[in-house]
Amino acid sequence: MTSVSMSDTQRTASKSKVIQPAWVRVLHWINAVAMVIMIMSGWQIYNASPLFGFVFPPSVTLGGWLGGGIMWHLAGMWLLVINGLLYVTLGFITGRFRKKLLPISASGVIGDTKAALTGKLSHADLSTYNQVQKLLYAGILIVGVLIVLSGLAIWKPVQFQYLTAIFGGYDTARYVHFVMMASIVGFLVIHVALALLVPKSLRAMIIGR
């Protein structure tokens, strides 16, 4: 009887455990909206002066024309920057980054990658990130900083001339910005795929548990 009660208590505690706090969930979904706006409007801007031998189809762009794309991009930029600053600030203040993203080791990443590819990676405890998740989330924070800085270098190359110079000039900054965008899109594809493969992770980002 005692063992049964203990088991029931553990299951109840597991169900009531908050995996994603409210502030993380709210900022996550705001960020998702901002990223979609930024990416689709960015593709519209790209189409006006392509860097490579292709353009994005109109069905996945936002703005309708260059001026419209820029307006949407700037609106999304402010939403993304303000939301991102709140997330980073709270991440450091609450200790979430330290608890969730550290430590990261090369051996751990290799081991968890092998486990993931062979279907042996455990998702039993969603409150703890595996080494691959830690690397991806830490990496996307760095990408976020680079895409904002390169975006500023492109947006105001005269006012931020020193920043533009750090990136090697306006044209190089555009390439950096594009590569960072592509990295974010790649991250989002993996992120959504994993959410679909592990539905309880999506549920936790909606209801917290």
Side-chain angles (χ1 to χ4, degrees), residues 40 43-44 47 56-62:
M40 293 181 68
W43 288 347
Q44 180 67 60
N47 283 354
F56 295 96
S59 58
V60 297
T61 63
L62 182 64

Side-chain angles (χ1 to χ4, degrees), residues 30-161:
I30 292 175
N31 188 67
V33 172
M35 287 307 307
V36 170
I37 292 173
M38 290 294 287
I39 290 170
M40 293 181 68
S41 61
W43 288 347
Q44 180 67 60
I45 296 169
Y46 167 91
N47 283 354
S49 180
L51 290 171
F52 305 101
F54 67 88
V55 295
F56 295 96
S59 58
V60 297
T61 63
L62 182 64
W65 63 298
L66 176 58
I70 291 174
M71 287 189 290
W72 274 105
H73 208 63
L74 293 178
M77 176 193 74
W78 288 115
L79 179 61
L80 183 68
V81 168
I82 294 171
N83 191 70
L85 287 175
L86 282 173
Y87 179 76
V88 170
T89 300
L90 290 173
F92 280 114
I93 291 175
T94 62
R96 179 179 175 84
F97 289 163
R98 176 178 54 79
K99 295 174 185 176
K100 292 284 189 179
L101 304 181
L102 297 176
I104 303 175
S105 67
S107 59
V109 171
I110 293 172
D112 283 349
T113 299
K114 290 180 178 178
L117 293 175
T118 56
K120 297 178 181 179
L121 189 62
S122 174
H123 300 286
D125 184 6
L126 294 180
S127 64
T128 302
Y129 290 160
N130 59 60
Q131 292 284 313
V132 176
Q133 285 177 302
K134 290 181 179 181
L135 181 63
L136 286 174
Y137 289 136
I140 205 64
L141 289 175
I142 297 173
V143 168
V145 172
L146 288 174
I147 200 167
V148 169
L149 293 178
S150 60
L152 289 174
I154 296 169
W155 180 37
K156 299 288 186 179
V158 175
Q159 291 86 342
F160 297 110
Q161 57 184 296

